[in-house]
Amino acid sequence: MEQAGLRDAAALVGRARRVVVFTGAGMSAESGVPTFRDALTGLWRRFDPQALATPEAFEDDPALVWGWYESRRRAVLSARPNAGHAAVAAIEARVPGSVVVTQNVDDLHERAGSAAPVHLHGSLFAPRCSACARPAPLPDDPTDGGPVDSRPLHGGPADGSPADSRPLPGGPADGQPVDGGSVDGPAGDGRVPPPECARCGAPVRPGVVWFGEALPEAALEAAVDAASSCDLLLTVGTSGVVYPAAEIPRVAARFGAPVIQVNPQETPLDEVCDVNLRGPAARVLPALVEAAWGVPRVS
Ligand code: OAD
């Protein structure tokens, strides 16, 4: 990571009053949660999203899809927030007008102390009925409907808003290689029949957004509002290829906010970034917090 870039980024962070931190799978990579598109380790390099992350897949084989998301949820339960998540929470604490907008379906921002991250792609912890949308309890905890927004996913913001609720491109048809190999869960635990809805008996589904589905209306609206009124956007660990989420940094840039990117690799978002910090989130973000405020590194 270049020192001049870090200094420039720290100056922007230090004087900001409303920061949007926009995160993707790279944010949780150092917690051991795999990304989607990284070579070798990315989920969509090893699993076929058509068979696991579409409404049709759930209709065809609900036990396969439910089992795969359950194994991902269990992997997240055994993961811990990393120093990058802690640094994001430190930015929120220092800059109270800040908002975390995440594409991640894990709960690592919450566990690191972020107050109310906006989950654009839903949550592994908010299952709901596939027919009547009633929130369902998590399998381990029959009394708990999940800590994160469990509203049904439907609709989108009014036409003409900067980001709309088109079906997500960037999935199976986004040109990313997909091997279509084994569909056993990452933990090897395979098919698990989904529970039945207590009200209507239909299968319960994971509370995530699948390819071909609209984003949660309230979350998308909150993200667009935050991006269009912030004075700095920090994009961390996202490839920036899945829309409409990838519009969020572009919205901030269009409204005149500087954009800082934290990512070891180049991405299509480079073109809207004022500062690129090429490195892993768990190293770069604590260094940025320290450079901005001179506080000891969070770890
Ligand atoms: P991707 O897997 O597409 O991209 C992860 C990004 O993180 C890449 O640009 C990596 O270079 C970067 N990265 C890897 N390790 C990192 C680290 N330690 N620190 C910082 N960056 C790192 O993941 P997303 O962009 O989140 O959607 O993917 C977007 C959406 O595509 C996901 O929300 C998911 C997926 O299909 C749905 O499931 C709807």
Side-chain angles (χ1 to χ4, degrees):
M1 184 185 25
E2 208 195 304
Q3 284 311 309
L6 185 65
R7 267 199 311 276
D8 293 347
L12 290 168
V13 172
R15 62 172 177 262
R17 293 290 164 266
R18 289 175 67 82
V19 180
V20 169
V21 186
F22 174 69
T23 67
M27 180 83 235
S28 299
E30 288 150 283
S31 293
V33 179
T35 65
F36 294 94
R37 296 175 180 80
D38 278 296
L40 304 177
T41 54
L43 289 174
W44 296 157
R45 307 286 179 175
R46 297 184 289 135
F47 301 102
D48 178 0
Q50 287 288 11
L52 293 164
T54 63
E56 295 76 22
F58 187 68
E59 214 164 289
D60 288 351
D61 195 341
L64 176 70
V65 173
W66 179 261
W68 190 70
Y69 280 95
E70 268 299 286
S71 69
R72 282 182 60 197
R73 186 173 72 82
R74 282 168 200 284
V76 166
L77 283 174
S78 60
R80 301 213 333 239
N82 63 52
H85 294 102
V88 169
I91 292 171
E92 277 185 283
R94 285 271 176 171
V95 189
S98 302
V99 180
V100 175
V101 175
T102 188
Q103 297 161 89
N104 297 345
V105 294
D106 64 47
D107 63 349
L108 297 180
H109 280 302
E110 288 89 333
R111 283 200 263 148
S114 286
V118 174
H119 280 271
L120 282 180
H121 290 166
S123 164
L124 290 169
F125 298 91
R128 67 178 191 278
C129 175
S130 58
C132 74
R134 178 189 166 113
L138 288 166
D140 317 331
D141 180 359
T143 60
D144 184 358
V148 181
D149 184 4
S150 55
R151 278 164 298 186
L153 306 178
H154 59 83
D159 282 348
S161 61
D164 64 25
S165 53
R166 287 164 290 169
L168 293 165
D174 70 354
Q176 301 294 333
V178 161
D179 67 20
S182 160
V183 285
D184 260 4
D189 45 0
R191 287 177 165 77
V192 179
E196 290 177 358
C197 173
R199 178 158 63 197
C200 75
V204 167
R205 58 162 283 176
V208 301
V209 176
W210 284 325
F211 291 108
E213 294 187 315
L215 271 57
E217 185 176 1
L220 184 57
E221 216 170 281
V224 171
D225 279 357
S228 52
S229 60
C230 68
D231 55 11
L232 176 66
L233 186 137
L234 197 54
T235 174
V236 183
T238 179
S239 57
V241 298
V242 174
Y243 283 82
E247 270 295 328
I248 297 302
R250 297 177 187 282
V251 169
R254 277 204 292 279
F255 278 82
V259 176
I260 300 169
Q261 176 167 241
V262 178
N263 196 312
Q265 307 288 333
E266 291 180 8
T267 80
L269 294 173
D270 285 12
E271 67 187 33
V272 296
C273 288
D274 298 271
V275 185
N276 270 298
L277 301 176
R278 303 265 186 235
R283 183 162 63 81
V284 172
L285 289 170
L288 180 59
V289 167
E290 185 180 15
W293 293 296
V295 292
R297 290 189 182 201
V298 276
S299 59

